[in-house]
Amino acid sequence: MTALLPVFVLATSLITAVLIFILPERYYRLRVSLNLAAAVLKIVLVAVMIAGIANQVDYEFRYELLPGIDLVLRADALSMLFAGLSSVLWLFTTLYAIGYLEGAPNRSRFFGFFSLCVASTMGIALAGNLFTFLIFFELLTLSTYPLVVHRGTEESLRAGRTYLKYTLGGGAVLLVGVALMYGLVDQTGTMTEFAETGTLSALPSEQHFTLAVIFFVLIAGLGVKAALVPLHGWLPVAMVAPAPVSALLHAVAVVKAGAFGIVRVIYNIYGVEFAWQLGVLLPLAILASITIIWGSLRALQQVEMKKRLAYSTVSQVSYIALGACLFGPIGTIGGIVHLLHQGIMKVTLFFCAGNYAETLGIHKIKDLDGVGRRMPLTSIAFTLGAFGMIGVPPLAGFISKWYLGIGALDAGMGWVIGVLILSSMLNAGYFLPIVYRLWFKPKQGPWPDEHIKAARFETHGLLLWPTVATAVFSLAAGLFAAHAWSPLSWASLIAFREYLP
Amino acid sequence: MTLIMYLLHHIPLPLLVVFPLVLACCVRTDTARRRGWMLIAAPLPMLLAVLLWYAQGQPEFITEIPWLMLGLHWRFDNTLAPILLMTVLLWTVAGIYVWQQLRDNSADQQPHIARYIRCWLLTLSGNIGLLVAGDIASFYTLFALMTFAAFGLVIHTQTPNALFAGKVYILLAVIGEGLLLSGLIWGAAHAAAGELTPTAPLISSLPAAIAASANGVWIALLLFLGFGVKAGLAGLHWWLPLAHPVAPTPASAVLSGAMIKAGLVGWLLTLPLGDFAAGGNFANVASLAVILGLIGAFGAALMGVFAKKAKAVLAYSSVSQMGMITVMLGTGWLYDAAWEAILAAIVVFAVHHGFNKGVLFFGVGWVSALSGRAATLMLVFLLIPALNLIGVPFSSGEYAKDLFKHVIADLPVGLLYPIFSAGALATTALMARYFYLLRKH
């Protein structure tokens, strides 16, 4: 049973995907029930595994494909963080997408690929070695493309092409990296297993240069999805996708998969201590810092809501890579916990952007004047998400910054604080004007295109409540950070296991 | 009495601070005009608690909630309690002022009353909360809450001037928060000493950690400047003379009387003063404090006498008075042996300035509401706080300043003694200008 649980978790979304593809378009209710049942079931399974991991139970599924190349699905503390995040957000995004796409064509195709995308994310979370990771990483690219181009307009098809160019290119580079790893370093297949404290430190020193080169090849492959500058070009373009897709792309699926991969490579392949000795962490930290600042600067220039949020993602996701480069448990906690914190905050912000667009037809920031009175709950959610991104306590973003800052000092990289603070200020620079427009500016003329009239609630319930729920999560993650069941405590557990063998 | 004892020991502090937040959630746009009482009710529980606590002879009063945020640790601090009492009282009185305004419908023309009340309650919550917060994370949380919520008070009238003042305010506030957060994180990293605990260090552990750090001077400088934005430090004070004239009168009173002290409280809590400064490690920052304080004390007076509005004069007066406090702080920082005595003087001075400046701000509103003989009588009454601020004999100002002067009379401070005494001239000039503008009105 313990061996099959990871497979079951993966199967919940995979089977759902297949069933939805088979199901004709008109079976609306059945499809909705299927989707929701699968999402809830998966949360339950993940919860069971989380409880098991906390009690040191091993969940591992292994299948030998070729001699030396196994398909491994394993649940460890880190994978549960990512799996927990994506299973919870999947439920909310599904609910949101049902409301968002009400009456739209091709919903069967959409939800099919949506489930497939989540299945790939789960696979990435549970992958137990580099090879398995690579398979699901590529599967993710293929399953998200139909979502990006879902609307089928000229613009979205163009965005889809850009997206494919970048991600397939990145996938190819990653493939080269993995092949080099298997060919040059690890013919037996034991060293590319993800293991706490890493596996490569035992290698002789003449191989260290090769290892450093492979490290950067891997990072270049993963960095496309993680939107590291200069590989971030696809992300702002891909925001033409429907709001729930953008939310999923930015919060858990694609961008996070890249960041998660970077964390895996540093912690579970190389081992953070060994990577530190190799000297590969400092260049990556510098690159991540450049990305953080560059993304924020570009976000300042955007006039479109979703574009600004997209560049904000470029900036915020690199916090994770930056945290992974800080040698020391506290920096590790900061990076890992931001994986989750950024997810819930960014999903909130994209839900809000979707609500504004769907309800009032607002896409441009300048049209947001006085929306706070018309859509108070959405605007409160947006305000919470925005302040969280800036790093104002007691929201989740503050906890990340606090740990990243202290971790940077412990690692002897005090300059990181400057990056964090500058980024906070730039975040304030591009989020506070929006908050100001929402609450303090009077309404200017009629709304651009009001689809949903204000009735009992400000918008459709399925658009509103997932937004409120994720906003509450972003508040709770910060407010109860020191609680034993908080994301922070889980991240601390991961860091403990990484540093204390 | 036993009931009171019981309550005092079993009401957790956070409830007293969260109470205004709860009220803020109950404000609705259509009924906001009838909710003026909330502004009076909000600080009352804290006021009662502080008074009771004094009546009980200042017992140790701590609330710890280890699972909330990064470990909540809140307490009544013996040294800061007078400032807390002053703050709560000032907020209550200002609340009555707003309530009166709302009841008389003199605020009828103003839109956004609901937003005003909400921002008021949020600011209030942050301001009284930061005086009892004992751990770094919640202290910074409440400080940030106060900073950002006060924006709504500054721009309330929505005139072009108010919007401009709001812009300057938020810009300086964000810069200040940035400096502050970097200083706090840096200090906390030393205080935690690499230990892996989910809880943030207590704010009382910061001075020692900063003093022990090799980079202590830089941390102290970051914190000094970060809090300096709030405290109206010369060079970072630009928002004060812009924001005060445009904010509603009661809001200016709390901004200048209570909130400006939050910066001072930040200094007192985090900077390595007293014993931690022994050895002169921080002499550079301390000298900077003295110099900036003197520039503030006299420069603000120079600019204030040319101000066109009574409330702008008061704002410059606040910068000037805070400059004097900064001089006191810097002196105490330089001469660590004298710190205890100077700390007492600073607290007395802060409380004295908070009350008197609050009344002077209310006076602007009172005088403009009255006419004829009543206005003249009011002007005469306002002489009391004005003379207090100047520090004429038998006034609270004289008492506060004498406390400090007695200390530095024995220190080798050279010209500082006469210069500090000359501060009264600066205040006198500002007060004269204040009365001139009030009468002209």
Side-chain angles (χ1 to χ4, degrees):
Chain A
M1 182 62 193
T2 53
L4 286 179
L5 212 47
V7 185
F8 288 155
V9 170
L10 199 59
T12 45
S13 345
L14 216 50
I15 294 174
T16 317
V18 174
L19 288 178
I20 287 175
F21 278 129
I22 298 171
L23 218 58
E25 180 76 30
R26 63 177 184 283
Y27 289 163
Y28 168 74
R29 278 172 192 287
L30 185 58
R31 189 169 53 237
V32 167
S33 335
L34 200 64
N35 251 323
L36 294 183
V40 171
L41 177 66
K42 189 157 70 171
I43 291 182
V44 172
L45 290 178
V46 169
V48 169
M49 285 208 291
I50 287 179
I53 302 265
N55 295 317
Q56 311 266 8
V57 183
D58 260 337
Y59 297 99
E60 188 183 277
F61 171 81
R62 185 177 289 273
Y63 180 78
E64 188 171 3
L65 290 174
L66 293 167
I69 297 185
D70 291 355
L71 189 76
V72 184
L73 292 176
R74 186 194 306 120
D76 58 17
L78 182 59
S79 59
M80 279 304 102
L81 186 88
F82 193 44
L85 173 75
S86 57
S87 57
V88 169
L89 291 192
W90 184 37
L91 176 63
F92 287 111
T93 319
T94 306
L95 284 171
Y96 188 86
I98 292 168
Y100 190 90
L101 293 173
E102 202 162 61
N106 298 324
R107 274 178 289 173
S108 167
R109 184 183 77 193
F110 179 86
F111 282 105
F113 281 111
F114 204 67
S115 296
L116 204 57
C117 164
V118 175
S120 335
T121 317
M122 274 296 151
I124 289 171
L126 293 169
N129 63 13
L130 207 47
F131 173 74
T132 320
F133 182 89
L134 178 71
I135 291 179
F136 286 108
F137 198 76
E138 301 291 356
L139 185 62
L140 182 64
T141 309
L142 300 178
S143 61
T144 42
Y145 172 75
L147 295 176
V148 172
V149 300
H150 179 71
R151 289 198 207 276
T153 58
E154 184 56 38
E155 197 192 1
S156 62
L157 286 172
R158 207 166 41 236
R161 276 198 295 279
T162 314
Y163 176 68
L164 270 192
K165 265 182 223 157
Y166 271 93
T167 44
L168 286 180
V173 175
L174 184 65
L175 179 66
V176 171
V178 174
L180 283 175
M181 193 64 122
Y182 275 93
L184 294 178
V185 182
D186 178 36
Q187 281 86 0
T188 57
T190 50
M191 287 183 176
T192 45
E193 296 261 327
F194 295 147
E196 274 147 16
T197 69
T199 49
L200 297 178
S201 50
L203 289 173
S205 57
E206 50 266 29
Q207 279 200 303
H208 283 187
F209 179 72
T210 323
L211 286 176
V213 172
I214 296 178
F215 181 86
F216 285 111
V217 175
L218 290 174
I219 294 296
L222 295 164
V224 174
K225 280 211 170 77
L228 284 175
V229 167
L231 308 170
H232 67 288
W234 62 273
L235 188 61
V237 184
M239 62 87 220
V240 297
V245 175
S246 307
L248 203 66
L249 244 61
H250 285 257
V252 282
V254 180
V255 188
K256 271 320 156 47
F260 183 73
I262 293 177
V263 173
R264 277 292 196 204
V265 167
I266 294 177
Y267 285 107
N268 300 130
I269 298 281
Y270 281 75
V272 65
E273 198 169 350
F274 180 60
W276 182 251
Q277 286 162 8
L278 276 183
V280 291
L281 291 186
L282 188 63
L284 183 55
I286 292 171
L287 185 64
S289 304
I290 292 172
T291 309
I292 289 172
I293 302 300
W294 175 252
S296 301
L297 285 175
R298 293 284 294 160
L300 269 178
Q301 302 161 351
Q302 306 306 317
V303 292
E304 242 177 283
M305 184 78 163
K306 281 178 84 180
K307 270 226 160 125
R308 189 171 280 194
L309 292 181
Y311 275 108
S312 158
T313 305
V314 172
S315 160
Q316 291 277 340
V317 164
S318 281
Y319 278 47
I320 302 164
L322 181 61
C325 296
L326 301 174
F327 178 52
I330 295 178
T332 304
I333 295 173
I336 290 175
V337 83
H338 198 62
L339 194 80
L340 202 146
H341 285 164
Q342 191 268 351
I344 49 179
M345 293 189 295
K346 194 36 83 62
V347 94
T348 311
L349 291 174
F350 267 103
F351 282 170
C352 292
N355 282 1
Y356 293 140
E358 271 304 282
T359 314
L360 304 175
I362 293 173
H363 298 277
K364 295 260 196 302
I365 289 163
K366 69 176 171 50
D367 295 331
L368 280 169
D369 292 0
V371 173
R373 193 167 275 200
R374 166 70 175 78
M375 303 178 68
L377 285 174
T378 307
S379 301
I380 289 175
F382 187 90
T383 309
L384 287 177
F387 274 104
M389 286 290 175
I390 298 169
V392 175
L395 291 139
F398 168 71
I399 307 292
S400 311
K401 282 204 177 135
W402 182 260
Y403 273 82
L404 284 173
I406 294 185
L409 287 164
D410 281 352
M413 290 156 76
W415 54 271
V416 169
I417 298 238
V419 175
L420 292 177
I421 297 299
L422 183 60
S423 154
S424 279
M425 290 189 178
L426 291 171
N427 270 284
Y430 61 78
F431 277 126
L432 287 185
I434 303 181
V435 174
Y436 174 71
R437 279 178 190 277
L438 289 177
W439 298 110
F440 291 102
K441 279 219 167 177
K443 183 185 166 189
Q444 318 266 346
W447 308 117
D449 183 11
E450 192 168 359
H451 301 287
I452 305 174
K453 295 272 178 244
R456 185 145 165 245
F457 297 115
E458 58 204 53
T459 182
H460 196 298
L462 280 174
L463 296 180
L464 181 61
W465 298 119
T467 316
V468 171
T470 50
V472 169
F473 283 154
S474 353
L475 182 62
L479 202 55
F480 303 111
H483 194 272
W485 289 103
S486 69
L488 181 66
S489 302
W490 192 258
S492 312
L493 177 81
I494 297 170
F496 268 121
R497 293 191 178 172
E498 171 75 26
Y499 285 90
L500 305 170
Chain B
M1 205 59 200
T2 43
L3 179 73
I4 292 170
M5 287 282 285
Y6 176 83
L7 282 179
L8 188 58
H9 284 106
H10 289 87
I11 293 182
L13 270 174
L15 283 186
L16 303 175
V17 175
V18 168
F19 180 59
L21 288 182
V22 176
L23 288 180
C25 296
C26 304
V27 178
R28 289 174 35 153
T29 314
D30 43 347
T31 56
R33 269 170 216 292
R34 296 201 299 275
R35 295 289 178 272
W37 58 267
M38 281 185 176
L39 306 190
I40 310 171
L44 273 186
M46 185 58 105
L47 180 62
L48 288 178
V50 178
L51 289 176
L52 269 176
W53 178 74
Y54 266 113
Q56 295 289 323
Q58 313 191 354
E60 190 167 78
F61 188 27
I62 296 173
T63 302
E64 275 187 322
I65 309 178
W67 45 267
L68 207 58
M69 278 199 68
L70 294 172
L72 224 58
H73 175 104
W74 288 10
R75 81 286 180 250
F76 279 154
D77 187 308
N78 283 345
T79 334
L80 298 179
I83 298 183
L84 175 63
L85 187 61
M86 180 276 287
T87 302
V88 182
L89 268 175
L90 197 59
W91 276 99
T92 317
V93 176
I96 297 174
Y97 192 107
V98 179
W99 173 70
Q100 192 80 22
Q101 271 185 325
L102 288 176
R103 219 181 46 159
D104 296 350
N105 284 328
S106 63
D108 221 16
Q109 283 75 36
Q110 301 173 19
H112 314 301
I113 288 297
R115 190 180 75 194
Y116 182 54
I117 293 184
R118 279 191 210 113
C119 286
W120 180 284
L121 291 170
L122 290 177
T123 317
L124 162 64
S125 193
N127 194 357
I128 59 176
L130 69 91
L131 291 165
V132 295
D135 64 287
I136 298 177
S138 62
F139 176 83
Y140 179 67
T141 305
L142 293 159
F143 198 86
L145 175 66
M146 180 186 79
T147 304
F148 286 113
F151 177 75
L153 302 181
V154 172
I155 67 150
H156 174 63
T157 54
Q158 306 250 49
T159 56
N161 281 341
L163 294 178
F164 176 69
K167 241 179 221 166
V168 175
Y169 171 77
I170 205 75
L171 189 72
L172 277 171
V174 167
I175 293 174
E177 297 287 307
L179 293 169
L180 197 55
L181 186 58
S182 39
L184 286 177
I185 289 183
W186 205 347
H190 286 292
E195 219 175 296
L196 248 186
T197 52
T199 49
L202 295 187
I203 206 159
S204 53
S205 66
L206 268 184
I210 294 172
S213 159
N215 295 312
V217 178
W218 295 106
I219 307 176
L221 185 66
L222 283 171
L223 291 171
F224 178 67
L225 295 178
F227 285 118
V229 173
K230 259 300 151 317
L233 191 67
L236 298 168
H237 69 283
W238 301 108
W239 63 275
L240 272 155
L242 290 172
H244 283 54
V246 293
T249 302
S252 315
V254 287
L255 271 171
S256 215
M259 276 175 54
I260 207 172
K261 304 298 182 303
L264 170 69
V265 167
W267 283 343
L268 296 181
L269 282 174
T270 58
L271 294 179
L273 300 153
D275 291 344
F276 301 116
N281 289 332
F282 298 98
N284 287 333
V285 196
S287 312
L288 181 74
V290 174
I291 293 166
L292 286 180
L294 287 175
I295 293 175
F298 291 96
L302 213 58
M303 297 178 77
V305 290
F306 295 110
K308 299 276 186 298
K309 285 182 186 156
K311 289 209 287 183
V313 175
L314 291 183
Y316 277 114
S317 160
S318 286
V319 176
S320 166
Q321 298 284 315
M322 289 309 286
M324 290 189 199
I325 293 189
T326 315
V327 171
M328 294 159 82
L329 180 103
T331 318
W333 209 353
L334 280 172
Y335 301 100
D336 52 278
W339 172 243
E340 289 299 321
I342 291 182
L343 174 63
I346 288 178
V347 171
V348 171
F349 197 105
V351 172
H352 135 84
H353 172 246
F355 279 129
N356 289 306
K357 189 51 68 64
V359 176
L360 286 174
F361 266 108
F362 293 136
V364 178
W366 286 331
V367 169
S368 67
L370 300 170
S371 59
R373 193 164 293 166
T376 317
L377 268 178
M378 180 54 71
L379 281 178
V380 174
F381 166 72
L382 285 176
L383 276 176
I384 302 173
L387 291 175
N388 267 340
L389 270 194
I390 295 169
V392 295
F394 307 112
S395 68
S396 62
E398 194 213 16
Y399 177 67
K401 285 182 185 167
D402 275 358
L403 274 181
F404 179 64
K405 285 190 204 158
H406 277 309
V407 179
I408 58 169
D410 305 329
L411 294 175
V413 289
L415 277 175
L416 191 63
Y417 188 92
I419 293 177
F420 185 81
S421 308
L425 287 177
T427 317
T428 314
L430 284 170
M431 287 302 116
R433 177 74 183 167
Y434 168 75
F435 278 102
Y436 170 73
L437 288 172
L438 272 193
R439 281 224 19 182
K440 208 172 91 175
H441 205 67

